[in-house]
Amino acid sequence: MSEDAGIVILGAGQAGGEVASELRKLGYTGRVTMIGDEPHVPYRRPPLSKAYFAGTVSAEELYVVPAASLEKAGIEFIGGVRATGIDREHKRVSLDDGRTIPYHKLVLATGGRARPLPLEGADRPNVFLLRTIDDIERIRERATLGARMVIIGGGFIGLETAAVAQKLGLRVTVLEGLPRVLARVTIPEVSAFFERVHRDAGVDLRTGAQVAALEGDELITHVHLTDGSRIEADLVVVGIGLIANTELAEAAGLAVDNGILVDEYTCTSDPDIVAAGDCTNHPSEYLGRRIRLESVPNAMEQGKVAANTLLGNKVPYRSVPWFWSDQYDLKLQMVGLSAGFDEFVVRGDLENPATRSFAVFYFRDGHLLSVDAVNKPQEFMLSKKLVAESARLNPAVLADESVPFKTLIAEAKA
Ligand SMILES: Cc1cc2nc3c(=O)[nH]c(=O)nc-3n(C[C@H](O)[C@H](O)[C@H](O)COP(=O)(O)OP(=O)(O)OC[C@H]3O[C@@H](n4cnc5c(N)ncnc54)[C@H](O)[C@@H]3O)c2cc1C
């Protein structure tokens, strides 16, 4: 296929939007077509379980590349249409509206979809997944004052939704199957802090809670647990993880293993196809192994790298993973992954929920591995560089809150 066919981007999410904008920023003047199965132009998902659910930002404020900007940049957006196949031999993509779109280079930015609850009744109209603007719109219709919301899953999305729902005046129950919330991302002490915060706010938070069944005819009215409890529900929100959208890549014969396999330049096993965002499994220099991440910083960084690769610039992806979560007045910011730490030190008071500010520094062999910071923006910002450098710090001095963090790390490194 000739160069005239230009670059086709499958998936109009954060990563797809970033590739498109970056291509223009880098001076690419050829044809760019972005195809998304949602009707919306690329938008930010993080506010969906935060400010957008709370009603403090509008849908337009979520858009990362508004329609007018796309038009101005000459990016063709085909929304509400699903790509159903990739013909790598003839370099064209088929769409579910019958069209076939040729490409010179293809970008897979297909992200992921919310994992459905594998139980009968999960398809009832008051059981919701939470991934899209449209999901939140539907949740909002039922999230009325005093309504009983049962949230299945005590990860970031479940807990953020609980915090907003509680503030909106719903009666909220959170059911976490594991013995503690946020178990995949942090230590028991931090999980316990968040559990206390939610319970103090009035959330009925249950850990080790295994959902056995959903009860109800047209609508679900109760959630049953394996311990025999039966919880009343006006609406159920399911936040139990993500399934990467890799089927298209797999069907096209690309290498896929818990995500589309890419190298540090976002190249897939086909030289004419790159991939970016939640759908990829990429090598991480920081971890020394491959990983599939679900985060905006990853989608944006990989998007930038992909655009560079498409234009022949060799810019490797070398970012340290970082995440954030807003719950009530708490901003949790995490840099690096703490799995594999052999020592940690807490700066601030983790036991006292009234203080609501602390940072946990994780070490391996004396090197800073990762940091979880709650309402400690300075610690987080400075730690991003320290984690990237795998800095050697004296853990003992970090705990001293009477010394400003900036001074402390300078002294500790000296
Ligand atoms: C409620 C919520 C809160 C979050 N909060 C945070 C946060 O606080 N911090 C953070 O870093 N991250 C957060 N995330 C995660 C973050 O939003 C994702 O990591 C990010 O959106 C990934 O971007 P992406 O472009 O890779 O994928 P996506 O955003 O999933 O975009 C992919 C798009 O491609 C479309 N698509 C898939 N297949 C096809 C096809 N065949 N044809 C056409 N289109 C297709 C999908 O429908 C989707 O629109 C949150 C996510 C959710 C849902």
Side-chain angles (χ1 to χ4, degrees):
M1 187 51 61
S2 81
E3 280 198 35
D4 296 348
I7 295 169
V8 173
I9 303 169
L10 294 188
Q14 197 101 36
E18 192 65 25
V19 177
S21 314
E22 193 66 15
L23 282 169
R24 290 296 186 233
K25 271 189 215 152
L26 293 170
Y28 178 69
T29 53
R31 192 168 179 183
V32 179
T33 310
M34 182 162 50
I35 299 159
D37 57 2
E38 291 183 68
H40 307 280
V41 293
Y43 62 90
R44 295 179 291 129
R45 293 185 201 277
L48 295 181
S49 48
K50 309 177 183 82
Y52 188 67
F53 179 29
T56 53
V57 301
S58 66
E60 287 68 33
E61 288 171 89
L62 302 183
Y63 295 151
V64 279
V65 204
S69 311
L70 285 176
E71 209 179 309
K72 204 167 153 212
I75 296 161
E76 190 186 345
F77 171 60
I78 304 177
V81 176
R82 197 169 174 71
T84 50
I86 303 166
D87 176 349
R88 287 166 55 201
E89 195 187 331
H90 300 100
K91 295 179 72 171
R92 56 191 181 203
V93 174
S94 41
L95 307 184
D96 67 358
D97 64 1
R99 270 185 285 177
T100 301
I101 309 280
Y103 65 84
H104 176 57
K105 298 279 179 190
L106 184 66
V107 181
L108 298 178
T110 47
R113 56 191 183 274
R115 184 178 294 282
L117 191 67
L119 284 178
E120 209 181 313
D123 58 350
R124 298 294 194 280
N126 64 337
V127 180
F128 303 95
L129 298 173
L130 206 175
R131 182 74 188 169
T132 65
I133 288 185
D134 299 5
D135 290 335
I136 281 289
E137 293 302 333
R138 287 189 287 264
I139 290 172
R140 273 216 199 114
E141 281 170 25
R142 291 192 187 264
T144 48
L145 191 67
R148 287 157 303 194
M149 176 187 272
V150 176
I151 298 171
I152 301 177
F156 285 140
I157 289 180
L159 294 181
E160 288 171 0
T161 306
V164 175
Q166 190 67 25
K167 275 165 89 177
L168 291 175
L170 280 82
R171 287 175 281 171
V172 183
T173 303
V174 174
L175 304 173
E176 168 55 56
L178 293 174
R180 60 186 176 93
V181 300
L182 300 176
R184 284 191 307 146
V185 293
T186 193
I187 50 171
E189 290 82 348
V190 175
S191 297
F193 171 84
F194 278 95
E195 287 167 10
R196 270 198 308 270
V197 165
H198 279 277
R199 288 185 180 127
D200 289 351
V203 172
D204 176 5
L205 188 147
R206 307 186 193 191
T207 53
Q210 305 290 338
V211 177
L214 302 176
E215 177 193 334
D217 295 327
E218 276 171 30
L219 294 176
I220 296 304
T221 57
H222 294 85
V223 177
H224 291 247
L225 302 186
T226 49
D227 67 3
S229 18
R230 189 164 166 264
I231 304 158
E232 284 184 287
D234 296 308
L235 69 162
V236 177
V237 175
V238 179
I240 56 169
L242 180 107
I243 300 173
N245 290 326
T246 57
E247 292 83 356
L248 212 52
E250 216 161 345
L254 296 178
V256 171
D257 180 10
N258 179 30
I260 303 167
L261 291 180
V262 294
D263 65 11
E264 68 266 50
Y265 302 104
T266 71
C267 298
T268 67
S269 50
D270 181 323
D272 292 318
I273 306 180
V274 294
D278 282 13
C279 65
T280 70
N281 182 329
H282 60 271
S284 160
E285 194 188 38
Y286 159 75
L287 289 170
R289 63 174 168 86
R290 286 185 163 276
I291 189 163
R292 193 177 65 71
L293 289 170
E294 297 163 12
S295 82
V296 166
N298 173 61
M300 293 183 68
E301 284 304 313
Q302 276 197 321
K304 285 192 177 73
V305 171
N308 273 285
T309 298
L310 289 166
L311 302 185
N313 308 327
K314 282 263 177 195
V315 179
Y317 176 85
R318 291 270 154 81
S319 301
V320 173
W322 63 274
F323 312 88
W324 77 92
S325 177
D326 299 330
Q327 297 170 41
Y328 310 102
D329 58 334
L330 304 173
K331 180 167 270 306
L332 167 66
Q333 294 168 299
M334 303 170 123
V335 56
L337 301 174
S338 58
F341 73 91
D342 54 29
E343 185 180 3
F344 72 87
V345 60
V346 180
R347 182 174 167 81
D349 190 352
L350 219 164
E351 298 303 318
N352 179 2
T355 334
R356 297 170 98 80
S357 167
F358 62 85
V360 185
F361 298 84
Y362 301 89
F363 292 86
R364 187 168 57 208
D365 300 330
H367 293 272
L368 187 62
L369 184 65
S370 71
V371 177
D372 298 345
V374 169
N375 291 349
K376 284 264 188 223
Q378 196 191 41
E379 276 77 351
F380 170 72
M381 283 313 293
L382 295 171
S383 296
K384 277 175 107 174
K385 193 160 176 284
L386 296 170
V387 170
E389 289 169 349
S390 190
R392 228 186 147 79
L393 299 174
N394 177 358
V397 299
L398 292 173
D400 185 356
E401 273 212 289
S402 67
V403 186
F405 188 63
K406 221 171 179 170
T407 323
L408 220 161
I409 53 171
E411 282 170 10
K413 285 177 86 178

